[in-house]
Amino acid sequence: MTLHYDIDGENFQTAGEASANVKKVLRQLGISTDIIRRVAIAMYEGEINMVIHANGGVADVAITPDRIEMTLEDSGNGIPDIALAMQEGYSTAPENVHELGFGAGMGLPNMKKYTDEMKIESTVGVGTKVFMAVNLK
Amino acid sequence: MTTAELCARLSLEPLCLAEPDRPVTGGYAGDLLSWVMGRAQSGDAWVTIMTNRNVVAVASMADVACIVLAEGVEPDADTLEAAQKQGVNLLRGESGAFALCAAIAAALAE
């Protein structure tokens, strides 16, 4: 099963709708709550990142008998130093999102923490593609 | 202890009790949303002073038992609406986060 979402970059208030939908679908499929939680958090963090840093993007989710794969792609500014961005506490989020409780520099670390595989490809000025997978077995 | 029982026990205000029977198994306090998603456990009562609707999404993704707003803060109108729509328990207490956490811990320890 594959799912596709357009992530609206303008609206911080609706950020999380794609993740919420994925969570709902996984629940309907009878996936365990622990797996759902890991997928939902990783996906939500990715979705929020695209809203904060890239003015939105697209998300594709593939559900196979073996694992759940998430691919998030945007046309934002890109990440100059991925290793630095992966460090807990490092953030380039603007001040206005701090007031909402975001920008703590824990988004990418959380995505790595809750997934079994994570790959980031990014080109400055072109965009970023994040692939994440959570194994079901 | 269920969320409804915790709510009654601590005299919290049930702003949205969508899942009254949801068991509370622990607690977590924090206002930085990614810290909450990284550290809170499924089934926790999450104590925060953040009031925007993103807290509902975070509570849902992190699978906490309930949000407990501290210091009597007023949630944004769309926060309450989101909680109702997404079926997230949203409670409110007049005390600060420290006192609320102490009370939650005492209730869970019994």
Side-chain angles (χ1 to χ4, degrees):
Chain A
M1 177 190 277
T2 58
L3 306 164
H4 176 83
Y5 304 94
D6 291 311
I7 313 296
D8 181 0
E10 296 296 322
N11 195 344
F12 223 98
Q13 297 302 312
T14 58
E17 283 187 352
S19 314
N21 185 261
V22 169
K23 185 182 169 183
K24 189 175 154 192
V25 170
L26 294 180
R27 194 182 275 168
Q28 284 165 352
L29 290 172
I31 306 288
S32 77
T33 53
D34 174 57
I35 296 284
I36 292 175
R37 185 174 185 272
R38 290 170 56 202
V39 170
I41 292 175
M43 175 99 182
Y44 182 68
E45 291 280 20
E47 206 179 333
I48 288 293
N49 274 349
M50 287 200 290
V51 174
I52 294 176
H53 298 285
N55 198 30
V58 293
D60 289 281
V61 179
I63 303 162
T64 74
D66 295 327
R67 61 187 198 161
I68 297 159
E69 298 178 338
M70 295 161 270
T71 306
L72 286 70
E73 202 162 2
D74 66 59
S75 308
N77 293 330
I79 305 169
D81 186 337
I82 292 172
L84 182 61
M86 287 300 299
Q87 285 182 15
E88 287 192 2
Y90 180 81
S91 175
T92 59
E95 195 57 40
N96 65 321
V97 307
H98 286 251
E99 289 167 17
L100 295 171
F102 293 110
M106 293 291 284
L108 288 174
N110 275 349
M111 288 155 73
K112 184 166 180 63
K113 175 182 178 176
Y114 287 120
T115 55
D116 294 301
E117 187 184 344
M118 178 178 172
K119 281 185 290 198
I120 303 178
E121 293 167 27
S122 188
T123 307
V124 174
V126 178
T128 301
K129 184 175 177 179
V130 178
F131 172 85
M132 296 181 283
V134 173
N135 296 333
L136 293 172
K137 291 174 182 171
Chain B
M1 175 173 283
T2 68
T3 300
E5 287 165 350
L6 181 77
C7 186
R9 175 66 173 279
L10 272 61
S11 300
L12 302 173
E13 186 183 350
L15 298 174
C16 175
L17 208 45
E19 278 193 297
D21 297 331
R22 178 76 198 267
V24 179
T25 50
Y28 187 84
D31 304 317
L32 294 177
L33 303 183
S34 287
W35 275 89
V36 176
M37 286 189 283
R39 304 290 162 88
Q41 304 291 312
S42 177
D44 278 354
W46 169 29
V47 179
T48 185
I49 52 162
M50 296 302 281
T51 54
N52 66 77
R53 70 176 279 174
N54 299 106
V55 297
V56 174
V58 168
S60 175
M61 302 308 157
D63 196 35
V64 297
C66 58
I67 302 165
V68 182
L69 297 178
E71 313 273 8
V73 291
E74 185 70 28
D76 299 355
D78 56 358
T79 301
L80 189 54
E81 194 183 308
Q84 286 159 347
K85 195 174 156 194
Q86 294 187 43
V88 169
N89 291 326
L90 181 63
L91 316 176
R92 175 165 62 184
E94 292 301 321
S95 311
F98 177 79
L100 282 171
C101 287
I104 291 166
L108 291 178
E110 283 179 12

